[in-house]
Amino acid sequence: MTSSLPAEIFKAYDIRGIVDKTLTPAIVQTIGQALGTLALERQCRAIAVGRDGRLSGPALSAALIDGIRASGVDVIDLGQVATPMTYFAAHQLNTGCSVMITGSHNPPDYNGLKMVIAGETLSGPAIQALRERIERNDLCTATVPGSLKEHDIAPAYLDRIIGDIRLQRPLHIVVDAGNGIAGAFAPTMYERLGCKVTPLFCDVDGTFPNHHPDPSQPKNLKTLIERVQQENAELGLAFDGDGDRLGVVTREGNIIYPDRQLMLFAADVLNRVPGATVIYDIKSTRLLKPWIHRHGGVSLMWKTGHSLIKAKMKETGAQLAGEMSGHTFFGERWYGFDDGLYAGARLLEILSQHADASAVLNALPDSVSTPELALACEREGEQHALIALLQKEADFADAEEIIRIDGVRVEYADGFGLARASNTTPTVVLRFEADNEAALKRIQSDFREQLRAIVPDSVALPF
């Protein structure tokens, strides 16, 4: 097994690879046995297992289950569910452990594992330790395999959300699941909350025939915007492939990026929990900090990554957190994990208190900004080397502050620029924000000059 275990599938936040190339059923089975061994060491006896709508899901899930059971740990098979439903199952079924087979928003030929063991979302060193365990064959093999039972978690999950959320009035919404797994649950859930729902691409299809299930990319929201306007709906909700990220569009066709969504959530949470900590990732708008302070909260910028944010929430006792990519984490009234479906419900609860939902969203503080821009690198690992070089050698003379917790975020009096290494693909992620277009261009020019000093001229910059 050692020689055929590709180190590159062990990412910072999860395990992810190309099906039948770097991620095979045999590899997943061994990972399952390692996870079972780790669970036993942490005094856990059962793991809840789910999978999204990808075509490779059933085979990889079966392999994972075989591996976990081989260690002597019991498996509760949740079947085809959204990622947050596996997190919920770990709480609801008292396993403390869950593994989700998902490729998230990656292309159809990818798949992977998101892992929670004894309440800890595995990331960084813990994922590398799992790889090292497999390489030294430190795996428990039980004389009697763990048991296997199936469980439908959807009724308890939906009931829990519907029992928590109260809409002041019904809203008409369009739900775009991008043929991801959220389509199997979101329309039903929002209808039960009292909404009129127009479903869009809500049939689960692992080939993703209509558009890629990644709401962080504006091009993937075009059809949703059109349908909201055709239906005269109040807003549109979009989900990624495994349902843990939320995208939002208004009836005017404006995209409400997740960092602005977080403003609305923060004001709502801080109204009930004054002084609470709100975490946001390094890609988020600089308008969040003053907004959180104005509403009586404590702001904390942190590294990007769902598992890293969850760990920081536990450490700080934060009641709310959010990432620019669309992961939102509610500690208040919820369990602290990222859940796009629940975030959508919380959003509707807030908006239902107003006559014009779009007006509330459009009134949130805004600035001139770019979406996430990707500078492609030739090979995995190159992005980290490039950022290390930028951290060491870049000279941003006009900067008020340079933040290096995750890449290089340069704060100016009138905006910011960011370059960070992606932990999921061989790319450098860039983002810019400013008070006006002139400031944005100046900041981008600053970054272009610094990047050009370390990136060959043959490489095209995405801005």
Side-chain angles (χ1 to χ4, degrees), residues 430-449:
L430 298 135
R431 185 157 192 255
F432 302 96
E433 176 182 285
D435 292 345
N436 52 59
E437 289 286 353
L440 190 77
K441 285 186 168 62
R442 191 196 77 248
I443 293 167
Q444 286 182 321
S445 175
D446 232 5
F447 266 75
R448 198 176 292 114
E449 184 182 331

Side-chain angles (χ1 to χ4, degrees), residues 293-314:
H293 293 175
R294 192 159 69 248
H295 287 84
V298 177
S299 66
L300 176 61
M301 184 189 292
W302 194 238
K303 301 172 186 177
T304 290
H306 70 95
S307 45
L308 306 179
I309 295 275
K310 276 179 269 201
K312 199 66 176 174
M313 282 186 82
K314 277 190 175 179

Side-chain angles (χ1 to χ4, degrees), residues 86-222:
T86 64
Y87 300 149
F88 175 79
H91 289 274
Q92 179 76 9
L93 305 178
N94 297 314
T95 63
C97 304
S98 67
V99 183
M100 177 71 177
I101 299 276
T102 175
S104 187
H105 60 282
N106 283 75
D109 56 339
Y110 279 75
N111 217 325
L113 294 84
K114 291 181 178 176
M115 304 157 287
V116 178
I117 301 293
E120 178 200 350
T121 301
L122 301 191
S123 66
I127 290 176
Q128 293 309 316
L130 195 72
R131 175 182 62 80
E132 290 159 9
R133 176 189 292 277
I134 294 167
E135 288 175 342
R136 66 176 183 268
N137 201 31
D138 180 12
L139 306 173
C140 184
T141 304
T143 50
V144 178
S147 66
L148 172 63
K149 67 177 181 182
E150 295 179 354
H151 183 84
D152 183 2
I153 198 66
Y157 173 77
L158 295 174
D159 287 350
R160 171 69 176 81
I161 293 176
I162 287 146
D164 180 66
I165 302 293
R166 288 283 174 270
L167 300 192
Q168 299 298 309
R169 65 178 183 86
L171 292 93
H172 180 191
I173 62 173
V174 180
V175 171
D176 180 357
N179 299 108
I181 192 61
F185 306 102
T188 302
M189 187 181 84
Y190 297 128
E191 281 171 358
R192 285 183 61 188
L193 285 170
C195 292
K196 178 184 177 184
V197 178
T198 299
L200 178 65
F201 312 139
C202 283
D203 50 317
V204 180
D205 183 340
T207 66
F208 308 121
N210 294 290
H211 66 74
H212 202 55
D214 181 0
S216 70
Q217 296 298 319
K219 65 183 179 183
N220 297 326
L221 299 172
K222 281 170 118 173

Side-chain angles (χ1 to χ4, degrees), residues 176-369:
D176 180 357
N179 299 108
I181 192 61
F185 306 102
T188 302
M189 187 181 84
Y190 297 128
E191 281 171 358
R192 285 183 61 188
L193 285 170
C195 292
K196 178 184 177 184
V197 178
T198 299
L200 178 65
F201 312 139
C202 283
D203 50 317
V204 180
D205 183 340
T207 66
F208 308 121
N210 294 290
H211 66 74
H212 202 55
D214 181 0
S216 70
Q217 296 298 319
K219 65 183 179 183
N220 297 326
L221 299 172
K222 281 170 118 173
T223 313
L224 176 61
I225 289 168
E226 289 167 6
R227 185 60 62 87
V228 167
Q229 292 172 340
Q230 286 165 7
E231 298 283 334
N232 196 29
E234 294 193 65
L235 74 156
L237 303 181
F239 299 95
D240 68 340
D242 64 330
D244 58 8
R245 297 193 295 139
L246 173 69
V248 178
V249 302
T250 70
R251 62 169 20 136
E252 296 84 5
N254 297 324
I255 298 169
I256 306 299
Y257 285 103
D259 51 357
R260 291 178 75 214
Q261 295 170 32
L262 190 64
M263 291 178 179
L264 208 55
F265 294 138
D268 180 56
V269 168
L270 290 167
N271 190 43
R272 288 184 296 276
V273 193
T277 296
V278 178
I279 299 172
Y280 53 94
D281 80 328
I282 194 132
K283 293 188 284 188
S284 299
T285 174
R286 68 197 186 104
L287 301 178
L288 262 167
K289 184 176 181 177
W291 173 275
I292 292 165
H293 293 175
R294 192 159 69 248
H295 287 84
V298 177
S299 66
L300 176 61
M301 184 189 292
W302 194 238
K303 301 172 186 177
T304 290
H306 70 95
S307 45
L308 306 179
I309 295 275
K310 276 179 269 201
K312 199 66 176 174
M313 282 186 82
K314 277 190 175 179
E315 179 193 321
T316 60
Q319 293 295 304
L320 176 69
E323 288 189 282
M324 188 62 200
S325 60
H327 293 270
T328 305
F329 313 74
F330 290 91
E332 189 244 5
R333 291 166 54 186
W334 201 235
Y335 304 90
F337 56 72
D338 41 334
D339 186 338
L341 285 84
Y342 179 72
R346 288 283 288 253
L347 181 71
L348 295 174
E349 183 180 69
I350 296 165
L351 296 177
S352 73
Q353 299 166 28
H354 304 271
D356 188 340
S358 278
V360 175
L361 293 169
N362 291 330
L364 292 167
D366 202 5
S367 57
V368 180
S369 66

